[in-house]
């Protein structure tokens, strides 16, 4: 069996692994990096353009990031945090564009206004309060609010055309929102990495075995599905960035920090329209409020998408119940993830989330007519024959053990790292890819602490992300400076 020594092994060819690979390549070009991917090309699962919403998640339009409090106020802390994290990604992508490591930004990111749209007295009052709270903060100072029919006709003509004039509606808008083709972005990053020395991409090579040796280094065995060749990798650091596949591998690693974690898989579908005469009438991402009982990733939205350079409209997502952890996974994924260490948390979550399970199963049995009826809340003139159903990617929500032994379903992303810093995994879903740069900085801080003390690494990090080590939530002048640069470099202004 061939043995391949490496400094870093990246498991999964998605946006997280590619981002970490790009960062490490800039910080220490001498590192020998191997990326292993079980499919025959990269960015084909959750990172692929059609498998995610493509929203540059900045909290501008996603109402689930600003929940209503018991006293009727609106909590904005999570929206501020996510916005600042997306700004980190924008800075990193700007650096890569400026250095010629990424192509023209139009190939992966396009300016697309982010808008929220609601109807009914209660939701209009909520949106207005949300606007007041957010627009008072410098991160959201460009936000606009309107209930004016004239404004709405300009902002979102498809949404208001032929709508009941007696229905009270309201909207907010941030003009410099983004539509991101994370698949194209990731393929460009991996293409650059492949052009560099000390980097190897192993495709069609799923991980069969992972174990830590007594000396702290990791043994990772992969088998090429086309040739049958088995390769043993030995490395000082492993990153599990394999989307829904990260949890099973984290469990196989046997690290103490993995105990108690489980996963709750959710599938998704989009309604897609490619008719130019319809697509040309809508240029924005319009988010509404999620139905009662729906998971946060099921917030309905009508989006402009540009994937591989082709424009389309997308509506959804329609969630569904699945036992697969990956789109091209196994129906036994969920059952195989149940271990003695996470049995109690998973049983606890299944018992306390029966409403969610019923909602997801109900979504599966919707007809095309039912889905188009939901679309008509956003596009009253929608016709069934203009829209087709397309499968989205799989999402595995985190089940986390509580102190008492029970479990909690988490809707977000989380880094799980070994105490010795030799292995890290990214679990969870939204806001996911949008905050990849910030998440990978977290990995660097937790797994490369000694290197980060090096003045050279610190200086290079400041080039990659000028706001590194400072708070964009608190520092208005810094935010103004970095946003001016990113909007210009990425052609979002």
């Amino acid at each position: 069996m061939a043995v391949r020594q490496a400094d870093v092994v990246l498991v999964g060819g998605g946006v997280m692994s590619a981002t970490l690979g790009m960062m490490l390549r800039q910080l220490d070009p001498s590192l020998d990096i191997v990326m292993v991917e079980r499919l025959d090309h990269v960015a084909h699962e959750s990172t692929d353009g059609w498998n995610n919403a493509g929203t540059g998640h900045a909290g501008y339009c996603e109402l689930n990031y600003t929940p209503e409090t018991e006293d009727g106020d609106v909590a904005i802390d999570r929206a501020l945090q996510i916005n600042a994290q997306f700004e980190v990604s924008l800075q990193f992508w700007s650096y890569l564009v400026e250095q010629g490591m990424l192509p023209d930004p139009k190939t992966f990111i396009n300016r697309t206004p982010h808008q929220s749209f609601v109807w009914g007295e209660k939701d209009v009052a909520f949106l207005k309060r949300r606007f007041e709270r957010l627009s008072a903060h410098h991160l959201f100072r460009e936000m606009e609010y309107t209930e004016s029919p004239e404004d709405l006709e300009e902002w979102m003509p498809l949404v208001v055309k032929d709508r009941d004039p007696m229905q009270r509606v309201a909207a907010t808008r941030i003009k410099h929102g983004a539509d991101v083709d994370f698949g194209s972005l990731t393929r460009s990053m991996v293409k650059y990495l492949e052009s560099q020395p000390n980097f190897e991409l192993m495709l069609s090579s799923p991980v069969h075995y992972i174990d830590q040796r007594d000396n702290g280094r990791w043994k990772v065995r992969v088998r090429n599905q086309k040739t049958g060749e088995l390769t043993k990798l030995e490395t000082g650091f492993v990153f599990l960035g394999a989307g829904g596949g990260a949890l099973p591998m984290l469990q196989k690693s046997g690290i103490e920090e993995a105990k108690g974690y489980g996963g709750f898989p959710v599938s998704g579908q989009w309604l897609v329209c490619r008719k130019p005469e319809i697509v040309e009438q809508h240029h924005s991402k319009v988010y509404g409020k999620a139905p009662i009982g729906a998971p946060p990733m099921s917030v309905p939205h009508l989006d402009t998408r540009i994937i591989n350079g082709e424009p389309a409209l997308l509506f959804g997502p329609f969630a569904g119940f699945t036992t697969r952890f990956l789109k091209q996974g196994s129906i036994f994924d969920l059952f195989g993830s149940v271990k003695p260490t996470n049995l109690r948390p998973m049983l606890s979550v299944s018992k306390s989330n029966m409403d969610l399970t019923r909602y997801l199963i109900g979504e599966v049995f919707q007809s095309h007519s039912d889905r188009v009826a939901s679309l008509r809340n956003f596009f009253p003139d929608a016709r069934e024959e203009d829209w087709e159903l397309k499968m989205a990617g799989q999402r595995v929500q985190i089940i986390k053990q509580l102190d008492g032994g029970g479990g909690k379903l988490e809707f977000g992303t989380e880094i799980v790292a070994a105490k010795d810093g030799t292995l890290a995994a990214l679990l969870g879903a939204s806001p996911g890819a949008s905050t990849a740069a910030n998440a990978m900085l977290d990995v660097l801080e937790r797994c490369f602490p000694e290197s980060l003390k090096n003045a050279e690494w610190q200086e290079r990090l400041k080039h990659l992300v000028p706001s590194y080590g400072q708070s964009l939530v608190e520092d208005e002048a810094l935010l103004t400076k970095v946003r001016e640069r990113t909007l210009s470099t990425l052609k979002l202004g």
Side-chain angles (χ1 to χ4, degrees):
M1 184 194 307
V3 178
R4 167 78 159 84
Q5 299 290 334
D7 296 311
V8 173
V9 170
L10 306 171
V11 180
V15 67
M16 295 295 174
S17 291
T19 299
L20 183 57
M22 290 292 277
M23 285 184 171
L24 288 170
R25 176 56 71 234
Q26 305 312 305
L27 294 169
D28 185 353
S30 71
L31 288 174
D32 186 12
I33 301 173
V34 177
M35 176 183 283
V36 297
E37 165 58 48
R38 71 188 186 94
L39 301 178
D40 59 4
H41 54 292
V42 299
H44 198 54
E45 274 280 355
S46 297
T47 299
D48 181 70
W50 287 115
N51 289 343
N52 59 69
T55 301
H57 284 296
Y60 292 142
C61 56
E62 308 92 330
L63 302 180
N64 55 304
Y65 294 155
T66 49
E68 198 166 1
T69 60
E70 289 183 3
D71 61 0
D73 202 356
V74 175
I76 66 169
D77 287 353
R78 186 153 189 252
L80 298 180
Q81 176 193 32
I82 288 170
N83 188 281
Q85 290 175 351
F86 184 58
E87 290 288 344
V88 170
S89 290
L90 292 176
Q91 291 174 71
F92 182 56
W93 300 337
S94 294
Y95 169 83
L96 298 179
V97 168
E98 289 165 349
Q99 299 300 313
M101 298 173 192
L102 284 179
D104 185 327
K106 291 286 183 188
T107 62
F108 66 90
I109 189 168
N110 286 275
R111 172 176 163 146
T112 308
H114 282 200
Q115 305 185 137
S116 301
F117 177 75
V118 298
W119 54 90
E121 298 292 335
K122 185 176 183 295
D123 287 344
V124 167
F126 160 78
L127 190 66
K128 188 169 187 180
R129 180 60 181 148
R130 180 183 188 268
F131 163 74
E132 291 166 352
R133 294 280 279 118
L134 285 175
S135 61
H137 194 282
H138 59 266
L139 286 168
F140 291 82
R141 62 191 170 207
E142 292 93 353
M143 182 176 277
E144 305 168 76
Y145 174 89
T146 190
E147 297 179 32
S148 157
E150 291 77 21
D151 288 342
L152 289 167
E153 192 171 345
E154 178 204 335
W155 290 14
M156 49 184 81
L158 277 189
V159 175
V160 297
K161 185 183 178 186
D162 294 331
R163 183 172 293 276
D164 179 359
M166 300 307 293
Q167 183 185 52
R168 192 176 174 204
V169 297
T172 58
R173 174 174 75 169
I174 294 260
K175 289 182 180 178
H176 62 247
D179 173 62
V180 187
D181 182 349
F182 289 106
S184 293
L185 169 66
T186 300
R187 286 187 285 274
S188 292
M189 288 196 285
V190 174
K191 183 179 179 181
Y192 171 79
L193 287 169
E194 284 191 278
S195 74
Q196 300 300 297
N198 307 325
F199 179 84
E200 182 179 357
L201 173 63
M202 300 175 68
L203 296 172
S204 303
S205 299
V207 172
H208 282 273
Y209 175 86
I210 179 168
D211 188 48
Q212 190 171 28
R213 299 180 61 184
D214 292 340
N215 64 3
R217 288 176 67 79
W218 287 89
K219 294 182 292 184
V220 181
R221 283 187 205 151
V222 300
R223 184 184 294 278
N224 187 299
Q225 291 177 308
K226 293 183 176 177
T227 67
E229 182 184 1
L230 194 64
T231 302
K232 185 165 86 170
L233 300 167
E234 288 194 2
T235 181
F237 174 72
V238 178
F239 175 66
L240 304 176
L247 176 62
M249 278 186 280
L250 179 63
Q251 293 174 328
K252 285 180 183 176
S253 75
I255 65 170
E256 188 68 26
E257 292 76 10
K259 291 180 179 176
Y261 278 96
F264 185 90
V266 178
S267 64
Q269 296 173 311
W270 305 113
L271 285 177
V272 177
C273 175
R274 292 185 173 91
K275 287 199 165 183
E277 62 271 26
I278 298 174
V279 174
E280 289 165 4
Q281 295 182 61
H282 184 82
H283 184 68
S284 68
K285 290 180 178 287
V286 179
Y287 273 60
K289 289 196 81 172
I292 294 172
M297 85 293 295
S298 292
V299 172
H301 44 100
L302 179 62
D303 290 3
T304 294
R305 295 301 314 272
I306 299 174
I307 299 175
N308 300 323
E310 295 294 322
L313 290 187
L314 170 154
F315 178 76
F318 298 95
F321 183 73
T322 177
T323 56
R324 299 178 194 269
F325 278 4
L326 290 163
K327 196 170 179 178
Q328 298 185 44
S330 164
I331 59 170
F332 300 108
D333 287 342
L334 175 60
F335 310 111
S337 73
V338 179
K339 310 291 182 187
T341 55
N342 67 9
L343 181 59
R344 278 189 67 192
M346 291 189 74
L347 287 174
S348 168
V349 164
S350 64
K351 184 179 177 182
S352 59
N353 286 274
M354 286 306 295
D355 287 346
L356 172 59
T357 305
R358 279 192 289 267
Y359 169 81
L360 295 176
I361 292 172
E363 288 274 285
V364 172
F365 292 105
Q366 281 198 93
S367 66
H368 187 63
S369 297
D370 292 334
R371 294 187 178 100
V372 174
S374 298
L375 166 62
R376 289 192 183 113
N377 287 320
F378 287 77
F379 177 17
D381 289 345
R383 297 185 306 174
E384 291 182 23
E385 59 268 29
D386 294 335
W387 297 78
E388 61 179 322
L389 192 65
K390 194 168 181 70
M391 288 299 296
Q394 301 291 95
R395 298 290 180 267
V396 180
Q397 306 302 324
I398 304 164
I399 292 177
K400 200 170 179 180
Q401 187 169 10
L402 300 175
D403 290 340
K408 182 185 179 187
L409 192 60
E410 297 273 6
F411 294 103
T413 50
E414 185 166 337
I415 299 291
V416 180
K419 186 169 59 178
D420 63 5
T422 60
L423 181 142
L426 184 125
L427 303 179
S430 184
S434 297
T435 58
N438 189 81
M440 295 307 100
L441 289 175
D442 186 14
V443 170
L444 293 177
E445 289 171 353
R446 294 170 67 175
C447 299
F448 296 83
E450 292 306 311
S451 297
L452 278 175
K453 293 176 184 175
N454 184 306
E456 196 172 351
W457 271 47
Q458 286 288 325
E459 185 180 344
R460 288 179 178 177
L461 273 175
K462 281 286 190 180
H463 285 298
L464 302 183
V465 180
S467 70
Y468 178 71
Q470 303 168 83
S471 172
L472 292 172
V473 175
E474 297 173 7
D475 193 331
E476 183 171 0
L478 178 64
L479 180 277
T480 300
K481 184 178 178 182
V482 301
R483 187 173 279 176
E484 186 176 317
R485 172 203 175 209
T486 58
L487 292 183
S488 172
T489 302
L490 299 176
K491 303 178 182 179
L492 300 174

